[in-house]
Amino acid sequence: MNVSERPLTAMIGLPDGPPDCAAYGRAGGWQAVRRALRDMTPEAVIETVTASKLRGRGGAGFGTGQKWSFVPRDPPATRRKYLVANADEMEPGTFKDRLLLEGNPLQLVEGMIIAGYAIQAGHGVIFLRGEYHLALARLNHAIAEARQVGWLGENILGSGFGFEIHVHASGGRYICGEETALLTALEGRRAQPRSKPPFPQVGGLWGAPSVVNNVETLCNLPHIVANGAEWFLSLGLGPDSGTKIYGVSGRVRRPGAWELPMGTPLREIVEHHAGGMRDGYRLRAFLPGGASTAFLDAGQVDVAMEYGAVEKAGSRLGTGLAILLDDRTCPVGMLHNLEHFFAQESCGWCTPCRDGLPWVERLLDAIESGTGEPEDLDRLHDHARLLGPMGRTFCAHAPGAMAPLASGLKLFREEFDAHIRQRACPLRETA
Ligand code: NAI
């Protein structure tokens, strides 16, 4: 794949660090914002992005152009609107936005100006994961430089459109990444999700129309506006357009993240880019796109990493960064670890999530440590059934937590039974 087919990461990994405004411009940056502000109406930008079929890269895959189209189109002077970049990347196993934030923060700045123009929002906020210290420093530096050069501020390029970006470092909870909890946190209140509808596009930050887009989504915009929707459509191998930053963690030779065409099969990502499994380890199962996606079996490793194909296989593409389980790691232990995370990160607002997730964690702890009873499996199944479907809890946190559990109970049934029968972890010797 040549550089033009790796648009998101083409300027990442330069020896001198992220490009400054001038270097970014020399490498093709700022072309898109010029085109958008000089030659396109906000509606034309929305049409181009809709035609490109860009889908949200945070995990849910909602159409970006469609999301923008819900924002009321009254004149900006009468109403405040906000664009929020969701940079609160806390999904276990997911580290793609970090790469983009640290490697080329101006790409995000340019993407945000374009998105702000499209929805006619004068204010942008980057809600950043609290631990991303290097990203924070580089973003602040990039924003200050962009402001000094005139890419931010009032009347950009004499277009009449003005845009400012503010960076907010998160207090550090997983739930802050849920878009409505994120907005509540920005308002200075305890980060609890709000009910949807109203969706943020209509009633978001301080009640104003707001669009929350993921970092990788926003970073795609300069390339779509500069090269056109047809070009973006042509990058994908199947029905989904563009490239995607995929990644692999687990016992592979080279864990990491790579920008590849949408629809690249997971086998190619694992074997070619991650160098295959380490000696002595075999792939047992995998979570295709972060901790809140369902396990797929090793036999499904040829799945194309695109929304429809992964869903057809029984899971979700999620963030596109896969977590691999090998044959020497205890699946019950892995699930216990994941559910410990989800229980700890419940915001505590709704009872099924606040009480159910710690219960799941305790049951898994007991089974893993050899004190589990056969009835505990029924209890786990009950939790997966009751907490799994959307709508029984206030937000997607508990359903997300149940995705690996429900699939794991099916896939690792033998291992669960062996733990209970032997009153110990059968893999302890080899782990
Ligand atoms: P969602 O499907 O409820 O919403 C996705 C986006 O589409 C939101 O911006 C929402 O406003 C919009 N939307 C959905 N339905 C809409 C409608 N009818 N009208 C207008 N707008 C609508 O999903 P959610 O809860 O925002 O995200 C869940 C995903 O987040 C999961 O798939 C998970 O993979 C991912 N995730 C990612 C993390 C990360 O660190 N990147 C962390 C945790 C979860």
Side-chain angles (χ1 to χ4, degrees):
M1 179 181 262
N2 67 37
V3 165
S4 65
E5 290 168 319
R6 244 187 342 102
L8 292 172
T9 52
M11 279 188 244
I12 290 181
L14 305 176
D16 299 332
D20 61 12
C21 277
Y24 181 70
R26 280 195 300 277
W30 309 125
Q31 265 181 51
V33 75
R34 266 194 209 99
R35 173 170 302 170
L37 267 57
R38 287 191 176 147
D39 306 335
M40 295 170 83
T41 60
E43 289 74 19
V45 177
I46 297 180
E47 275 164 27
T48 301
V49 172
T50 306
S52 78
K53 299 203 173 134
L54 172 65
R55 294 177 65 167
R57 305 297 201 229
F62 198 81
T64 304
Q66 191 189 7
K67 190 191 279 193
W68 292 355
S69 72
F70 298 136
V71 176
R73 308 224 52 80
D74 42 10
T78 61
R79 207 162 176 187
R80 238 169 206 254
K81 295 175 194 168
Y82 295 97
L83 171 75
V84 181
N86 190 344
D88 192 38
E89 185 173 54
M90 278 192 74
E91 185 72 346
T94 297
F95 42 93
K96 66 186 179 65
D97 297 338
R98 179 179 178 184
L99 189 79
L100 295 167
L101 293 161
E102 292 179 358
N104 190 3
L106 288 172
Q107 179 172 241
L108 176 64
V109 169
E110 188 179 7
M112 287 182 74
I113 303 170
I114 293 168
Y117 177 70
I119 62 165
Q120 290 290 287
H123 299 268
V125 181
I126 300 174
F127 191 98
L128 181 69
R129 177 175 173 170
E131 293 92 341
Y132 279 8
H133 302 295
L134 182 61
L136 178 64
R138 290 187 172 175
L139 278 170
N140 280 332
H141 181 82
I143 290 165
E145 199 204 352
R147 191 176 293 126
Q148 200 183 13
V149 179
W151 289 113
L152 293 172
E154 287 176 16
N155 196 18
I156 303 168
L157 296 173
S159 64
F161 174 69
F163 191 68
E164 274 298 344
I165 298 181
H166 171 82
V167 185
H168 178 96
S170 170
R173 300 307 305 267
Y174 180 68
I175 200 65
C176 291
E178 196 285 330
E179 64 175 357
T180 59
L182 183 157
L183 297 173
T184 311
L186 277 179
E187 291 170 358
R189 295 184 286 130
R190 182 173 157 174
Q192 277 163 353
R194 308 174 185 174
S195 60
K196 296 194 279 191
F199 284 89
Q201 299 91 312
V202 180
L205 194 54
W206 290 292
S210 309
V211 161
V212 184
N213 281 144
N214 168 262
V215 168
E216 187 183 352
T217 311
L218 290 163
C219 287
N220 271 297
L221 299 174
H223 308 290
I224 293 171
V225 171
N227 300 303
E230 283 301 318
W231 166 84
F232 194 71
L233 289 165
S234 75
L235 294 180
L237 300 180
D240 295 331
S241 54
T243 61
K244 176 83 194 73
I245 302 187
Y246 293 111
V248 175
S249 55
R251 292 217 166 85
V252 285
R253 289 202 179 87
R254 290 190 302 272
W258 309 272
E259 184 182 4
L260 299 167
M262 255 293 187
T264 302
L266 185 63
R267 182 191 290 280
E268 184 185 325
I269 302 171
V270 171
E271 292 183 0
H272 184 63
H273 300 280
M277 299 301 287
R278 279 164 45 186
D279 290 341
Y281 293 92
R282 265 191 316 110
L283 180 64
R284 167 81 174 86
F286 59 94
L287 300 167
S292 53
T293 57
F295 275 105
L296 294 179
D297 186 58
Q300 294 170 289
V301 72
D302 286 307
V303 66
M305 289 288 276
E306 61 197 20
Y307 297 99
V310 181
E311 236 170 271
K312 204 165 157 209
S315 187
R316 285 187 309 109
L317 179 64
T319 62
L321 282 88
I323 304 176
L324 308 190
L325 172 71
D326 60 82
D327 61 336
R328 289 169 63 184
T329 299
C330 172
V332 178
M334 178 172 174
L335 274 167
H336 178 211
N337 186 18
L338 291 173
E339 298 304 332
H340 166 71
F341 171 82
F342 285 119
Q344 183 173 279
E345 293 299 333
S346 169
C347 81
W349 173 248
C350 67
T351 307
C353 180
R354 180 188 62 236
D355 287 357
L357 295 185
W359 196 358
V360 166
E361 186 199 346
R362 283 199 297 277
L363 291 166
L364 289 167
D365 185 21
I367 296 172
E368 193 198 2
S369 57
T371 59
E373 304 294 336
E375 305 77 53
D376 288 344
L377 285 180
D378 299 332
R379 294 186 185 109
L380 285 173
H381 276 292
D382 283 348
H383 276 85
R385 185 172 51 81
L386 293 170
L387 296 179
M390 286 292 289
R392 300 212 170 139
T393 52
F394 206 70
C395 77
H397 181 77
M402 292 303 100
L405 179 72
S407 50
L409 283 169
K410 277 193 213 129
L411 210 54
F412 312 128
R413 177 68 206 219
E414 263 178 42
E415 286 90 338
F416 271 99
D417 287 342
H419 277 78
I420 292 170
R421 214 177 36 247
Q422 298 174 20
R423 307 203 74 77
C425 174
L427 276 173
R428 193 164 291 156
E429 296 299 299
T430 54

